[in-house]
Structure formats: C-alpha cells, structure tokens
Amino acid sequence: MSVEFLHCDIRTVNLLLLPSLVSTFKPEESIGAVVLSRSRSVPFIIPPTLRGRDWIHLTNEEQVQEDRDPYMTPQSGPRSSFHSLAGAYVVGTINPDLYKFPEDKSETDFPDGNIGRLWFSIEYEQESERLLVSLIKVRKLQPPADSCSPFVKIYLLPDERSYLQSKTKRKTLNPQFDENFVFQVSSKMLLQRTLKFLVYHVDKQKKHHLLGQVIFPLKNEALTEDNKLVIWRDLEKENLEPPSEHGDIQFSLSYNDYLGRLTVVVLRARGLKLQEESPAVGVYVKVSLMNHNKFIKSKKTAALLGTPNPVYNETFSFKADQTEMDTASLSLSVLQSNKGEKTLLLGRVVVGPFMYTRGKELEHWNEMISKPKELVKRWHALCHSTD
C-alpha cells in the first residue's frame, strides 16, 4: 500500500508502517548521525511525501537530514533505502525485541536426572460431555537398553481398570504420536478426575517395561471447547513398592529462610483403606504446623470422592521463623468424611527435626533445610494413630 493514500491520524500510520519498517530496516545502515548498529531501537519516521499534512511538527534537531525539495525525483535504488527518505522526521523508535516470540526451551532445557518429557493437549465438549485428549510426543526417553520402542497408556482416574493405548513407535527415543483419544465424563465429575499417562518400552521378547508416568489432575484447569490446552510434563518414576499397611502419601517440602516461609505441596496418596468404597466417600488431607507439639495452624485439601488413590497437587504455606525450625514439625493426616457420619482417620505422618522424628521423616526434613527454596519430594508410609 502506498503511503500517499493514507488519510488518518498518527496512531493508524504507526500500525500500518510498522511491519514494513521493521522488516526492511537494516541494523548496519544509518540515518544521518543516528547509527542503528549502536542502538537496539529502530527509528520510526514520517516519509517526506506525508509532510505538510496533519502531523505534530518536531524540532529541527529531530530531523533526519537537511530539508530538500519535496518534489525532487527520488534517487534510484530500493525503496527501503534510507537515502530515499531525505527530509523525513523521526517521530519515535521501535524496539525489535518487543516483536519477537519468546523462545520455546521445552525441547532443549532438561534438568539433571530427567527420564523424559511428554506433551499432550486437552479440551472438553460440554454438549456431548467428552474429554478430548491428544497425545502429541515424548522426548529424551531413558530406556534400559540402547533401542527403544515406546507406547503410552492413558487412564482417567480414579478408574484404573480401563485405559486407552497409543500405537507403538519403533526404535526411537523421541516418539511423535499425534493421536487423539476420547473419554466420556460428565461435567459434574470432570474436575474430580485425573489423567494418568504411563510410558512403556517393548523389548525384543515383547515384554513391557515402564519408563515413567505423568499424573495430571483436571481440577485446576479451565476446560472449554474453545480453549484447547497444550501441556508438557516431565516423566516421573512410578513407586513400584507395594503400599504400606495403611497406605502412603507423597508430598514436597520447601523452606525459604529469607521469607520465613514453610511450603507443603500435597501431591497424592495411594493404597488407602477406605471404610466404605462408594462415590459418596470423600478423602482429604489436613496439614498442621506444630511447635513444641502445640498446634499452630492447619489447612485442608479439597475432598476427593470415591478413590483409594487420590491426586491433590495442592500447595500450602505457613509462616515459620528460622529460629523455630528446630522445634517445629508438620503433621499430615488423611481423613475420610461420610455423609452424616463422624470423620475417620485413615493414616497420619509427622515430619520434623530430631526432637520428633527418625528415619525417612527426619531425612526429608533435614534435606529441606539443607536445600533452601528447593522443593524436596518424597513418599511416606501412613501410620494409624490418633491425632
């Protein structure tokens, strides 16, 4: 479009000229005394053919070059050359960095000890009550052998009896799946459900080896038909040990000594011994901060219905001064609530310093103290003791 035909205010011209100026200006070229290679900004100018129109006139110091005859014949050469813009006015600058897309580092930045990363997308159709799951790809798998033929099983928890399965990709550590799956689930129950991806490797004897898993609760997602979420998650190793007598709970701890903040992330539980397995049974976790065995404050997760293997992924923070960390402790109680009945304790674990704990619970606490501001994740066996 020729700028000769523009009859608009400065904001409209700014938008129309922006793409061409950004694409044609070269950093090594200069406008008068302004050398672009010395600045990250690209001057935004009004061509001389638009002079005399309804512009805000700037001072002579802001002119690019000395005024010339506006009716002179343009010099030969490309239109994008600055030499054809003699007599133009600088009205501002453009920062090219503002027009760059952020670099996607999800395929290049892998933490130490990473066993793979999985990409998927989800959306929900309200009218048909269908959850649409697209399995996109997996990268950087770590199989037990040199070759790898992976496939993925997808579950919609708490139902662990049925699953959907991808095709097997032969001899690759970076499989590209691009497969679509559908789960039928009511909108009322959707936010109670959790997606579980299990990534397997098939060896030459047709045996299946679990390489890792991804657990993704749906309760925190805004799922609509016009909102397709593309997500990636790092694979985690599944806890292959059998559950403890009263079940196990997984949570992360972090302590920020500068802010005096103790953070607990309640992740999941497994193998819980529910007193009555029915959809009406709700299971939640109560996290309590103690000091000298005296109650300070408690917080609760949402109650999840009808599953012995609930997934929470809920974060809680407590104020705890650094001087209190030798006498503070955390109690995590897993509780079952039934309609019209008393709340039942399913199990409990306490983590804290040597004054209160030993074994894995003490190790978890000490590792948290030794790694300030880092999340330290562990499984713990539940004990059936009174609160």
Side-chain angles (χ1 to χ4, degrees), residues 256-269:
N256 187 321
D257 51 354
Y258 179 76
L259 298 177
R261 184 173 64 202
L262 178 59
T263 300
V264 185
V265 184
V266 180
L267 296 168
R268 68 196 77 161

Side-chain angles (χ1 to χ4, degrees), residues 50-61:
L50 292 178
R51 287 184 57 203
R53 302 201 180 178
D54 194 16
W55 302 104
I56 299 174
H57 290 284
L58 305 178
T59 62
N60 289 334
E61 287 78 8

Side-chain angles (χ1 to χ4, degrees), residues 50-80:
L50 292 178
R51 287 184 57 203
R53 302 201 180 178
D54 194 16
W55 302 104
I56 299 174
H57 290 284
L58 305 178
T59 62
N60 289 334
E61 287 78 8
E62 290 174 296
Q63 288 183 295
V64 177
Q65 294 181 353
E66 291 295 323
D67 288 349
R68 296 182 184 177
D69 183 358
Y71 300 102
M72 66 180 291
T73 305
Q75 297 178 9
S76 60
R79 291 181 56 138
S80 61

